[in-house]
Amino acid sequence: MGKTRELTGCRALITGASAGIGESIAQTLAASGVNLILMARREDKIKTLAASLMKKYSINVDTYVADIRHKDEVEGIAKQIIDSKQSLDILVNNAGLARGTDKLQEGNIDDWEQMIDTNVKGLLYMTRYFVPFMLQSSSYPQVINIGSTAGIQAYPGGAVYCGTKSAVGFLSDGLRIDTVDTPLRVCNIRPGLVETEFSVVRFKGDKDKADNVYKDIEPLYAQDIADTVEFVLTRPTHVQITELTVMPNCQASGTIVHRKGAKQ
Ligand code: 8X3
């Protein structure tokens, strides 16, 4: 029987750490004594979060402002982190977004590019620039990619978002295959409906439309996904959870959701 993996003293990099699932993961890992590197576009948010986590948990937290769509920014940050000569044990590729619900044949190309550049290319840049360093610096490295139930089954108006999240699944599998002769563990966590800024971003600030997504249901909360991440990370090191789908109890698949008062 293997021992639960101890996280205290590990170092984790989280993208999209300024809010929602990323922020909850940062809070949860900090409470387990993990030193953090927070990456996001919003400097004020990650700086405030870092200050509060350092004070509350006596851990080290570094912050880097970056848009992972920009390869040079990711490369520059990787250089600084590698030069710091501290290990990197955990990479949480959490940054991602959905934009719009247009039919594919009428879709907004700028929206497509933003989703593909962040959810797929940004994740690839992070993987390319950080995984070799993790393999070299950590005894038990782990990559967690935040995918989605949208990557299992397409839904109306979600073709490109679903396509990007389906790509996250295959990129997770590909990385696991290409590093099978190393200690790296790779997990694709696929959340269903989680109430965060996700829908406000998708509907470009239209709060009413966003609220409708979670109307008459109890969705998941960001903390539920952070708890899942912690569960995956703390399995004994010979155990690799390759993918995990987490939905609220009212959801049965990407498209089947029971709303209070509705007839099935
Ligand atoms: C988010 C899940 O169903 O809102 O990745 O697309 S869904």
Side-chain angles (χ1 to χ4, degrees), residues 147 151 164-174 176 188 190 243:
T164 65
K165 288 298 182 177
S166 155
V168 170
F170 274 113
L171 295 175
S172 306
D173 292 346
R176 198 178 310 108
N188 175 27
R190 302 186 293 199
E243 52 193 14

Side-chain angles (χ1 to χ4, degrees), residues 21 97-98 146-151 153 155 158 161-162 165 190-194 198-199 202 213-214 251 253-255 257:
I21 293 174
L97 80 169
I146 303 297
S148 170
T149 48
Q153 184 189 30
Y155 56 71
Y161 177 66
C162 294
K165 288 298 182 177
R190 302 186 293 199
L193 290 161
V194 187
F198 175 84
S199 291
R202 166 170 252 173
V213 175
Y214 311 106
Q251 185 174 9
S253 75
T255 50
V257 178

Side-chain angles (χ1 to χ4, degrees), residues 8-19:
T8 310
C10 286
R11 197 164 180 239
L13 193 169
I14 304 166
T15 64
S18 57

Side-chain angles (χ1 to χ4, degrees), residues 9-255:
C10 286
R11 197 164 180 239
L13 193 169
I14 304 166
T15 64
S18 57
I21 293 174
E23 180 183 354
S24 282
I25 295 170
Q27 299 267 10
T28 300
L29 296 188
S32 293
V34 177
N35 298 308
L36 298 174
I37 303 168
L38 307 179
M39 266 173 78
R41 289 175 301 176
R42 292 177 288 187
E43 181 170 24
D44 53 330
K45 295 241 179 201
I46 43 173
K47 285 248 184 293
T48 308
L49 177 61
S52 95
L53 296 178
M54 282 192 282
K55 191 161 168 219
K56 194 163 171 198
Y57 298 110
S58 303
I59 52 163
N60 296 320
V61 185
D62 296 319
T63 57
Y64 291 92
V65 177
D67 185 333
I68 60 164
R69 288 179 295 173
H70 302 140
K71 184 168 53 128
D72 295 349
E73 288 181 26
V74 176
E75 187 181 15
I77 291 169
K79 253 179 169 301
Q80 290 179 57
I81 291 174
I82 292 165
D83 283 351
S84 77
K85 303 252 182 313
Q86 297 172 57
S87 67
L88 180 62
D89 307 286
I90 299 162
L91 168 62
V92 184
N93 277 316
N94 162 70
L97 80 169
R99 294 289 279 175
T101 50
D102 298 325
K103 287 180 187 292
L104 183 61
Q105 66 276 21
E106 293 157 8
N108 177 318
I109 292 178
D110 288 340
D111 287 347
W112 297 355
E113 282 174 348
Q114 208 177 338
M115 290 186 275
I116 293 165
D117 289 353
T118 309
N119 303 1
V120 181
K121 290 171 69 181
L123 179 142
L124 279 169
Y125 299 150
M126 292 297 300
T127 305
R128 177 65 186 88
Y129 287 116
F130 286 98
V131 168
F133 176 58
M134 294 171 73
L135 291 172
Q136 173 205 315
S137 68
S138 173
S139 306
Y140 302 111
Q142 170 118 39
V143 171
I144 305 250
N145 289 330
I146 303 297
S148 170
T149 48
I152 304 170
Q153 184 189 30
Y155 56 71
V160 175
Y161 177 66
C162 294
T164 65
K165 288 298 182 177
S166 155
V168 170
F170 274 113
L171 295 175
S172 306
D173 292 346
L175 181 62
R176 198 178 310 108
I177 291 164
D178 288 344
T179 56
V180 69
D181 56 347
T182 79
L184 186 75
R185 300 188 294 177
V186 182
C187 180
N188 175 27
I189 294 181
R190 302 186 293 199
L193 290 161
V194 187
E195 188 162 13
T196 60
E197 289 176 347
F198 175 84
S199 291
V200 179
V201 171
R202 166 170 252 173
F203 294 114
K204 303 175 184 175
D206 187 331
K207 186 91 177 48
D208 290 342
K209 270 191 176 174
D211 287 346
N212 253 332
V213 175
Y214 311 106
K215 195 163 175 265
D216 297 327
I217 63 167
E218 180 166 19
L220 293 174
Y221 305 104
Q223 185 61 49
D224 297 315
I225 304 306
D227 291 344
T228 306
V229 168
E230 188 182 34
F231 174 78
V232 169
L233 289 173
T234 51
R235 290 315 84 210
T237 53
H238 70 286
V239 177
Q240 174 170 228
I241 297 183
T242 57
E243 52 193 14
L244 228 165
T245 303
V246 192
M247 291 188 268
N249 201 1
C250 61
Q251 185 174 9
S253 75
T255 50

